[in-house]
């Protein structure tokens, strides 16, 4: 059996050399109330590396001595992933990152008229551009991979974005970022921005960093790739400021299953990684969270269960085992004879046809009284019926 079931109308994107740079340890940790320990950050970094993530943004070294120590420890862990540190477009930030032995940096500065006016007290775009160029040049002089990020890029006029990013590329930037800082981009606008940049850049990759304020972070990221981006920023479980960032697991599985993109990742660790972040961040996942939610491969409806028993792909877009998830047949008011028989077989219990019908009836009645049918409740129902 194939492990995924794809809609024939979904496009097969001819996307090559696509890669993910994960920012769970930096932007994810900027979720209000989240503060990972050194040991937790190391474990997360190792698990991201096991997944096969190309680049891990380990932190913001200038924030504190403790943060710098953690970034340095991760950078010297011997992981396959390149380790990046976040820096403002300031020499002191870059120097601190260099002390941490990182492979590269993401340096950022805001470019939108709103930020120029209120964040930088009416600085001109040319002044900001000069700061960004100096930062890129300084980092490249020290042999670092350099990504230049235009903060609030999606509210920056396209001609200004092109001007700033061309200057960053000429200064040596390996990648330039479209940061949808307030999550206000649409898929169409993200595709347009990346497409226009692609026409004007010669060597630098384009990366997209999307926030989820309107629930568009994953689809905006995909449309950025369609427009010519090569790299996508993610966080595990989509954690991050406000409504969070593009969800790592949702992006990976959407690209893999729906768009048939080859990412060459070890996806069987996705659920384990998700649970790790849920525990360490203290942010509980909705049970119906796409891909990794506890109940997204649970089935109760009799019609669904009958088909899933024969072939799970009738009601699942891909098999849960490939990402470390599991399927569960849940008993309730919608259960039919086949679901009950399946559960009885799982538990090694044999009944006749009359007893089976009575068990089905009692399961429905019990659930409609507001009682959840777990294994203990089900066993009790079976015992009552069989003892009659």
């Amino acid at each position: 059996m194939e492990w995924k079931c794809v809609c024939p109308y979904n496009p097969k994107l001819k996307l090559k050399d696509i890669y993910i740079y994960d920012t769970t340890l930096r932007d994810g940790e900027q979720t209000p109330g989240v503060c990972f320990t050194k040991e937790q950050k190391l474990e997360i970094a190792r698990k991201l590396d096991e997944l096969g993530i190309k680049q891990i943004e380990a932190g913001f070294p200038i924030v504190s001595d403790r943060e710098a120590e953690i970034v340095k420890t991760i950078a010297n862990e011997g992981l396959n992933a390149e380790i990046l540190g976040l820096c403002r477009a300031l020499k002191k930030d870059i120097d601190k990152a260099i002390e941490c032995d990182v492979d590269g940096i993401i340096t950022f500065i805001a470019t939108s008229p709103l930020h120029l006016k209120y964040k930088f007290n009416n600085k001109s775009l040319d002044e900001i551009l000069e700061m960004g160029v100096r930062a890129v040049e300084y980092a490249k002089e020290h042999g670092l991979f350099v990504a230049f990020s235009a903060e609030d890029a999606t509210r920056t006029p396209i001609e200004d974005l092109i001007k700033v990013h061309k200057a960053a590329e000429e200064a040596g930037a390996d990648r330039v970022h479209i940061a949808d800082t307030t999550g206000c981009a649409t898929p169409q606008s993200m595709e347009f921005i990346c497409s226009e940049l692609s026409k004007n850049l010669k060597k630098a990759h384009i990366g997209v960093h999307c926030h989820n304020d309107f629930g568009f972070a994953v689809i905006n990221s995909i449309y950025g790739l369609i427009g010519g981006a090569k790299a996508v920023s993610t966080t595990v479980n989509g954690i991050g400021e406000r409504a969070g960032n593009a969800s790592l697991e949702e992006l990976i599985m959407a690209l893999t299953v729906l768009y048939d993109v080859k990412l060459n990742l070890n996806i069987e660790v996705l659920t384990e990684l998700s649970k790790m972040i849920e525990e360490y961040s203290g942010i509980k996942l909705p049970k119906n969270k796409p891909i990794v939610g506890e109940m997204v491969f649970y089935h109760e409806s009799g019609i669904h269960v009958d088909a899933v028993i024969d072939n799970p792909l009738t009601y699942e877009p891909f098999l849960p085992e490939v990402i470390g998830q599991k399927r569960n047949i849940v008993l309730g008011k919608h259960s039919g004879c086949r679901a009950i028989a399946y559960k009885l077989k799982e538990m090694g219990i044999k009944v006749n046809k009359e007893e089976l019908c009575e068990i089905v009836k009692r399961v429905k009645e019990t659930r409609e009284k507001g009682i959840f049918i777990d294994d203990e409740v089900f066993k009790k129902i079976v015992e009552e019926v069989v003892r009659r």
Side-chain angles (χ1 to χ4, degrees):
M1 183 191 296
E2 290 288 338
W3 67 271
K4 59 183 178 179
C5 189
V6 182
C7 170
Y9 306 107
N10 286 350
K12 301 293 186 285
L13 300 186
K14 303 303 180 185
L15 302 176
K16 294 182 180 179
D17 305 320
I18 301 305
Y19 59 96
I20 292 170
Y21 66 99
D22 188 81
T23 185
T24 302
L25 299 179
R26 198 277 300 171
D27 212 343
E29 195 185 34
Q30 287 178 205
T31 307
V34 174
C35 182
F36 298 125
T37 67
K38 179 180 179 180
E39 292 71 24
Q40 289 171 343
K41 276 201 167 190
L42 265 171
E43 277 194 60
I44 295 165
R46 292 183 191 121
K47 191 58 65 176
L48 286 167
D49 194 54
E50 184 182 347
L51 174 61
I53 295 302
K54 179 181 173 66
Q55 293 178 330
I56 298 170
E57 190 178 353
F60 198 165
I62 201 69
V63 162
S64 69
D65 291 340
R66 178 69 169 165
E67 177 79 346
E69 177 196 339
I70 294 172
V71 172
K72 185 167 186 173
T73 301
I74 294 171
N76 286 287
E77 184 66 11
L79 303 178
N80 292 316
E82 295 176 348
I83 305 303
L84 308 182
L86 184 71
C87 303
R88 293 168 298 179
L90 298 173
K91 181 178 179 293
K92 65 177 182 179
D93 282 33
I94 299 169
D95 284 339
K96 180 60 73 172
I98 291 168
E99 291 173 16
C100 295
D101 301 328
V102 294
D103 299 299
I105 65 162
I106 297 172
T107 184
F108 70 97
I109 196 162
T111 56
S112 70
L114 190 66
H115 279 235
L116 293 179
K117 181 177 180 179
Y118 292 102
K119 184 175 177 179
F120 290 117
N121 297 315
N122 291 306
K123 269 189 168 60
S124 69
L125 183 69
D126 285 339
E127 290 176 285
I128 293 300
L129 186 152
E130 185 181 345
M131 291 174 64
V133 165
R134 283 203 306 266
V136 172
E137 289 176 340
Y138 184 71
K140 289 306 294 181
E141 286 169 7
H142 288 79
L144 297 174
F145 169 92
V146 178
F148 173 79
S149 187
E151 190 183 16
D152 207 24
T154 53
R155 295 192 294 185
T156 300
I158 189 66
E159 59 273 14
D160 291 347
L161 268 185
I162 291 170
K163 179 179 179 179
V164 168
H165 282 136
K166 282 184 71 173
E169 181 187 53
E170 289 166 5
D174 301 283
R175 189 171 69 221
V176 297
H177 291 171
I178 305 301
D180 187 22
T181 302
T182 58
C184 65
T186 62
Q188 294 77 15
S189 65
M190 188 60 78
E191 180 182 9
F192 170 75
I193 292 169
C194 291
S195 176
E196 289 300 300
L197 269 182
S198 294
K199 296 172 188 175
N200 285 275
L201 297 178
K202 297 175 182 177
K203 294 188 299 181
H205 286 179
I206 298 169
V208 290
H209 175 81
C210 298
H211 282 264
N212 204 38
D213 297 74
F214 290 89
F216 281 9
V218 170
I219 193 61
N220 280 347
S221 298
I222 291 171
Y223 268 72
L225 294 173
I226 293 170
K230 290 286 189 185
V232 181
S233 169
T234 62
T235 60
V236 181
N237 297 342
I239 64 173
E241 298 164 347
R242 303 183 315 280
N245 294 48
S247 163
L248 172 72
E249 59 283 354
E250 292 176 27
L251 179 80
I252 287 173
M253 296 312 291
L255 287 174
T256 301
V257 177
L258 304 181
Y259 291 96
D260 204 29
V261 176
K262 308 302 181 188
L263 294 172
N264 299 314
L265 295 173
N266 182 26
I267 60 174
E268 57 261 36
V269 306
L270 278 176
T271 299
E272 184 183 353
L273 176 60
S274 170
K275 290 181 185 297
M276 179 185 291
I277 298 302
E278 181 179 30
E279 178 185 351
Y280 292 167
S281 69
I283 299 173
K284 294 292 293 179
L285 289 183
K287 291 188 176 183
N288 63 344
K289 166 77 164 64
I291 312 300
V292 290
E294 180 185 336
M295 296 182 67
V296 295
F297 292 98
Y298 281 23
H299 306 277
E300 180 186 328
S301 168
I303 296 170
H304 287 210
V305 170
D306 285 358
V308 164
I309 289 171
D310 289 332
N311 185 328
L313 292 178
T314 52
Y315 284 99
E316 294 172 355
F318 61 89
L319 300 182
E321 299 82 29
V322 300
I323 60 165
Q325 267 275 41
K326 62 181 180 179
R327 180 181 307 107
N328 194 9
I329 304 301
V330 177
L331 303 181
K333 67 176 285 185
H334 304 99
S335 296
C337 286
R338 199 162 181 203
I340 301 299
Y342 179 87
K343 195 70 175 179
L344 288 166
K345 184 178 179 181
E346 268 192 338
M347 300 171 77
I349 300 172
K350 292 184 179 181
V351 299
N352 59 38
K353 186 174 181 181
E354 182 184 347
E355 290 170 334
L356 176 62
C357 292
E358 180 62 23
I359 292 168
V360 172
K361 177 173 174 287
R362 294 200 185 192
V363 164
K364 291 176 182 287
E365 291 172 348
T366 301
R367 187 67 190 98
E368 287 176 330
K369 291 175 183 176
I371 300 170
F372 184 76
I373 312 295
D374 60 16
D375 285 354
E376 289 305 311
V377 171
F378 182 64
K379 284 179 185 176
K380 185 176 180 182
I381 291 171
V382 173
E383 288 170 359
E384 289 174 352
V385 170
V386 172
R387 279 204 305 261
R388 282 188 312 158

